[in-house]
Amino acid sequence: MDEHSWSRPDCIRVRHLDLDLQVDYDRKILSGSVILHFDRLSGEELVLDTRGLAIHSVENAEGFELGASDPILGAPLRIWLRDSVASVTVHYSTSPSASGLQWLDPPQTAGKQHPYLYTQSQAIHARSWIPLQDTPGVRATFTATVHTPDGLSAVMGAGRRNGRFHMDYPIPSYLIALAAGDLAFRPLGPRSGVYAEPALVAAAAHEFEDTERMIAAVEELYGPYRWGRYDLLVLPPSFPFGGMENPCLTFTTPTILAGDKSLVSLVAHELAHSWSGNLVTNATWSDFWLNEGFTVYLERRIIEKVYGRDREEMEAVLARGELHREMAQLPPADCALHPDLAGRDPDDGCTLVPYEKGALLLRTIEQAVGRPRFDAFLRSYFDHFAFRSITTAEFLDYLRRELPNPVPVEDWIFQPGIPEGAAEPHSEAFARVGAGWPADTSRWTTQEWLHFLRLQDPPDMPRLDREFHLTQSGNSEILHQWLLMAVKTGYQPAYPKLEDFLCGVGRRKFLKPLYTELMKTSNGTELARRIYARARPGYHPIAQATIDGLVT
Ligand code: BES
Ligand code: ZN
């Protein structure tokens, strides 16, 4: 059972949805209907999840009732079924403040001419735009018709036939995705391409040039890509995440368009979810590490194959440092791979622990049993559980059966620390960066810059800026690291840039550390409040919720 859903899939289980939705930019609402087709196992009551939805009518039912709303879960929609009925139609509309939708006014887009809408359903926001069984333990197929004003087009994480979207494979609700705005398209290869606003699409196509090579790299390791097309959508800068693995259509932040492909491990990551996550899915949000830990492990294998061992090692070492720093700040209970999320919003479980501790566990098993055996294990894991949602216990059973190994897996999963014997990533390139002032930085990659900057303690900010023009950096990761150092040291010349960055970018990973550091000093607190008052309207509801908790 999933504690983050009102639904009872053990009684009635939804198998297929037919959506028909109208995008109304003026009122900032989606309205229309969904036909839910289900299997009946027991009882007469179909329970759906909703949050902030107005339910206009339910066809083909005895009656319905919208229950009281819970602050985390939203409200249950109870529908009483007649005997032997196997589908109902719900007519509904969304609220302008739906947690899973961001409505952008023209000034918030690159082109400044047209409005834009996109969805973000993970973890439990699908219920804010579709009444459904919003649990990753239920998988359904769907079709959708989306009506947009003339000149604006809609895309979905799905295939397209005769003007309708189709998802023919059963997917969990958190992967249902829609975007609509002024979109252009460029092919990247025979089965891949990129959508973006017209002003960005050429830069995006260049940045993502290696996508076909990445797909080929995963296929070689873990078997065929099973979803047909693999496209990317570059969103406006307020997108609160780096990327989101919507099936057939990864959503990404524009902040990875660095011009030199140095941040494309994010593409490798979202692509890897086509195996770990979308094919084999966490059954509950406490099993999230099965999605993200496996995906980070796969991401690194892709990077190694496409960009070489050096790059992979640098990324692994940087991430190991970030995990170490984050775990030092977290309560011990949140440092286990399988957290207890009772009474909590699953978005709270989203720390580096499921990602990097999860990946480190897999890397440690790989080292213990050898790469060939571990590769064979993973390939058979994806085949065995394909198109299923599984718990950590099911993974453990399968692991014990298929790959007896000397790693204390239970400690990794249920205890807070990093067990002894953990793999330790190492980078020769970083060893060459060294501790002193660098002699020659002309061939440094983004990863070497990040490593170098993180070593500066205390940093000589004026000298660093004079020699390396960091306040002017066009690379979002380097600039973010630099601005964080500027806040920590009170380096004023970078503050105008800091304000621009906080007002222009909505990626939560960047916002959270910057606001947190600002709030630590009295001058910073005032500045944070002033900047946030200006920036907040441009942030996604998910980012607003996070920063509301920090800037008080
Ligand atoms: N599926 C996640 C994003 C997510 C997680 C959204 C939980 C909502 C709730 C996606 O695959 C992801 O992990 N994105 C990362 C980037 C990645 C390279 C670590 C991000 O957005 O930072
Ligand atoms: Zn991920």
Side-chain angles (χ1 to χ4, degrees), residues 245 269-270 273 292 295 355:
E245 66 272 25
H269 179 98
E270 305 311 335
H273 273 304
E292 296 301 342
T295 295
Y355 287 81

Side-chain angles (χ1 to χ4, degrees), residues 120-125 174-175 239-246 251 253 256 263 265-271 273 276 278 285 288 291-292 295-296 299-300 346-347 349-350 352 355-356 477 507-509 542:
Q120 167 58 41
S121 296
Q122 197 179 14
I124 55 171
H125 303 288
Y174 77 86
L175 291 177
F239 184 55
F241 297 106
M244 178 63 214
E245 66 272 25
N246 298 313
F251 284 18
T253 168
I256 58 167
L263 305 178
S265 58
L266 187 133
V267 175
H269 179 98
E270 305 311 335
L271 170 66
H273 273 304
S276 45
N278 300 7
W285 296 114
F288 185 56
N291 276 18
E292 296 301 342
T295 295
V296 172
E299 168 197 330
R300 302 258 154 80
D347 287 351
C350 199
L352 283 177
Y355 287 81
E356 294 297 340
E477 292 283 348
R507 188 174 172 186
R508 205 169 55 160
K509 168 183 138 172
I542 293 174

Side-chain angles (χ1 to χ4, degrees), residues 46-360:
L46 167 65
V47 188
L48 303 177
D49 293 294
T50 73
R51 184 189 289 125
L53 297 181
I55 307 297
H56 306 312
S57 63
V58 182
E59 275 176 63
N60 210 21
E62 294 281 351
F64 71 92
E65 176 193 78
L66 195 59
S69 185
D70 174 273
I72 294 171
L73 302 184
L77 173 61
R78 301 201 168 83
I79 298 173
W80 297 295
L81 304 173
R82 299 195 188 98
D83 279 352
S84 76
V85 152
S87 71
V88 294
T89 306
V90 182
H91 295 267
Y92 71 98
S93 48
T94 61
S95 140
S97 60
S99 61
L101 301 179
Q102 189 176 21
W103 296 92
L104 298 174
D105 294 323
Q108 291 173 273
T109 64
K112 316 281 181 211
Q113 301 297 312
H114 303 281
Y116 200 105
L117 161 73
Y118 68 91
T119 66
Q120 167 58 41
S121 296
Q122 197 179 14
I124 55 171
H125 303 288
R127 64 190 67 179
S128 76
W129 66 284
I130 309 172
L132 42 49
Q133 294 184 316
D134 196 10
T135 166
V138 169
R139 316 179 71 98
T141 52
F142 73 80
T143 72
T145 305
V146 181
H147 309 272
T148 50
D150 283 350
L152 301 186
S153 49
V155 290
M156 285 192 84
R160 202 194 307 231
R161 284 197 296 273
N162 311 326
R164 277 175 106 197
F165 297 103
H166 284 252
M167 175 42 71
D168 300 328
Y169 306 100
I171 58 160
S173 54
Y174 77 86
L175 291 177
I176 306 178
L178 164 70
D182 182 18
L183 299 176
F185 177 79
R186 286 282 174 97
L188 295 168
R191 53 174 165 176
S192 58
V194 59
Y195 295 89
E197 284 191 72
L200 285 182
V201 76
H206 175 260
E207 205 81 30
F208 302 149
E209 215 165 51
D210 298 328
T211 302
E212 282 290 335
R213 289 174 61 206
M214 291 190 189
I215 305 173
V218 212
E219 287 189 314
E220 207 177 301
L221 288 166
Y222 308 116
Y225 179 76
R226 305 196 196 210
W227 303 88
R229 291 197 57 85
Y230 180 76
D231 293 319
L232 294 132
L233 169 67
V234 181
L235 288 149
S238 63
F239 184 55
F241 297 106
M244 178 63 214
E245 66 272 25
N246 298 313
C248 311
L249 184 64
T250 284
F251 284 18
T252 80
T253 168
T255 62
I256 58 167
L257 302 179
D260 61 0
K261 303 182 192 170
S262 65
L263 305 178
V264 293
S265 58
L266 187 133
V267 175
H269 179 98
E270 305 311 335
L271 170 66
H273 273 304
S274 307
W275 285 259
S276 45
N278 300 7
L279 196 57
V280 182
T281 307
N282 52 207
T284 77
W285 296 114
S286 289
D287 305 305
F288 185 56
W289 79 277
L290 292 178
N291 276 18
E292 296 301 342
F294 278 65
T295 295
V296 172
Y297 175 84
L298 265 57
E299 168 197 330
R300 302 258 154 80
R301 297 293 302 273
I302 298 171
I303 295 300
E304 181 182 329
K305 261 182 173 285
V306 177
Y307 298 101
R309 180 93 188 167
D310 273 0
R311 169 89 165 257
E312 187 279 334
E313 284 173 344
M314 290 191 280
E315 296 193 342
V317 171
L318 287 171
R320 184 69 189 84
E322 288 174 69
L323 175 66
H324 177 78
R325 281 190 294 278
E326 178 150 14
M327 283 180 65
Q329 306 293 317
L330 285 173
D334 288 349
C335 294
L337 284 177
H338 190 277
D340 179 3
L341 294 175
R344 294 171 70 182
D345 188 323
D347 287 351
D348 291 355
C350 199
T351 69
L352 283 177
V353 171
Y355 287 81
E356 294 297 340
K357 185 178 167 184
L360 202 61

Side-chain angles (χ1 to χ4, degrees), residues 456-474:
Q456 305 307 303
D457 187 27
D460 184 341
M461 298 294 288
R463 183 178 181 202
L464 285 164
D465 212 7
R466 210 166 45 239
E467 293 207 20
F468 306 125
H469 312 290
L470 291 154
T471 305
Q472 264 49 264
S473 176

